[in-house]
Amino acid sequence: MRAQANDQALVEVKELGASIRSAVAKLYRRFRIERGDGDLGDVASEVLAVLCKTGPQTLKGLSDFQRVTPASMSQVVNRLTSAGYARRDADPEDGRRVIFSATDAGRELFLADRALRHAWFDAQLVGLSEPDRAAVLRVATILSEIAES
Amino acid sequence: MRAQANDQALVEVKELGASIRSAVAKLYRRFRIERGDGDLGDVASEVLAVLCKTGPQTLKGLSDFQRVTPASMSQVVNRLTSAGYARRDADPEDGRRVIFSATDAGRELFLADRALRHAWFDAQLVGLSEPDRAAVLRVATILSEIAES
DNA sequence: TATTGTTATACTCTATAACTATA
DNA sequence: TATAGTTATAGAGTATAACAATA
């Protein structure tokens, strides 16, 4: 117990920051490797997943959530709509807004894509101990909150 | 204690995978926001950091570590050498190899860049409780190992 | 005036394919 | 033949700036 407390006290924030930055960067790029051949890019896939899981969204909603500028997101959804995986609809309540939603083809792609892209990582998680898995879950929440701050 | 065990048992690997994937993607992009104006890109900055902290590296060493192809890494270091932040040297023991190392200007940029880019995240980490910080440290290690597998 | 979204442009990052040079 | 590195090319992702339309 005392040893653990000492370990925690030894955690240098600067080193911790460097560790998690490095881990996040490597894992982000590692995820990119696990993708299908005819696939969309990784951000477009994530946006499609949001549309499928959370339902229709405005452009601003999508860009805020993914932490990119509206201009960037506009181009991502442009690829999705051009490919027929998403569609634009006017918002009847606010003429400035556009509602983006997944098409049937988009939902199909999402399901296939998810199976493919997540299989590798899910297999890694299964190999963890219960406490480690709980730690990963807790830290996922922590990091999400930090990312949104 | 039993409640905690139940919570852990409830952890669905698929949901856990989706959570950490989402957190990693958002945090990766959040990191990109915290950068200087005249800055290099984020990958080039990381490579420069590796050269400064770990010492000279071959191209293959760098590309393996960052999980990109040698061709991709070649272009990243090209920008670094063109800008005068890194240099190429022949390996006297193997004529095929090139040893990349940071220049003085590179080390200077690294220090300024690190202060700038890490400040925001370090501040977030300081706000965490000790157990949370320990969990983040543990999970950084777990995720790094997964990324390298 | 403020908000929502788009387009134009440019840069970073990445990959595949084809290549050179060395082991 | 195999390995280390490069270049050419193409596409994804991002940002800033300038813009149109609506609130």
Side-chain angles (χ1 to χ4, degrees), chain B residues 41-43 69 72 75 79 94-96:
Chain B
D42 50 324
V43 174
T69 63
S72 298
Q75 296 164 78
R79 283 198 298 280
D94 186 335
R96 294 170 303 182

Side-chain angles (χ1 to χ4, degrees), chain A residues 23-147:
Chain A
V24 163
K26 280 195 286 186
L27 192 54
Y28 180 83
R29 289 197 284 272
R30 182 66 179 80
F31 280 141
R32 303 194 54 186
I33 299 176
E34 304 291 327
R35 53 191 276 281
D37 274 349
D39 229 3
L40 298 157
D42 49 324
V43 174
S45 285
E46 279 172 55
V47 170
L48 184 56
V50 169
L51 293 179
C52 289
K53 290 199 289 189
T54 315
Q57 304 282 334
T58 63
L59 184 75
K60 185 150 186 2
L62 290 172
S63 65
D64 283 351
F65 185 71
Q66 299 286 332
R67 301 227 54 121
V68 298
T69 62
S72 298
M73 184 53 70
S74 186
Q75 296 164 79
V76 171
V77 291
N78 231 349
R79 283 200 296 282
L80 283 171
T81 53
S82 298
Y85 298 126
R87 74 156 172 274
R88 287 177 164 80
D89 289 298
D91 183 336
E93 295 177 2
D94 186 336
R96 296 170 301 180
R97 290 206 179 113
V98 178
I99 308 289
F100 293 94
S101 50
T103 61
D104 287 343
R107 270 180 287 274
E108 221 170 284
L109 179 64
F110 160 65
L111 292 173
D113 188 64
R114 181 165 70 170
L116 199 66
R117 291 169 84 106
H118 288 210
W120 163 78
F121 190 53
D122 289 349
Q124 303 295 318
L125 292 176
V126 167
L128 296 179
S129 67
E130 279 294 330
D132 277 354
R133 216 139 68 203
V136 170
L137 181 63
R138 172 72 188 129
V139 171
T141 306
I142 293 171
L143 296 184
S144 270
E145 281 167 7
I146 289 178

Side-chain angles (χ1 to χ4, degrees), chain B residues 19-30:
Chain B
S19 304
I20 198 77
R21 281 179 59 96
S22 168
V24 162
K26 279 193 286 185
L27 192 54
Y28 180 83
R29 289 196 283 270
R30 183 66 181 78

Side-chain angles (χ1 to χ4, degrees), chain B residues 107-147:
Chain B
R107 269 180 288 273
E108 222 170 287
L109 179 63
F110 160 65
L111 292 174
D113 188 64
R114 181 166 67 171
L116 198 69
R117 292 170 82 105
H118 285 18
W120 162 78
F121 190 53
D122 289 350
Q124 303 297 315
L125 292 176
V126 167
L128 295 179
S129 67
E130 278 294 330
D132 277 353
R133 216 140 67 203
V136 170
L137 181 64
R138 170 74 187 130
V139 171
T141 306
I142 293 171
L143 296 184
S144 271
E145 281 167 7
I146 289 178

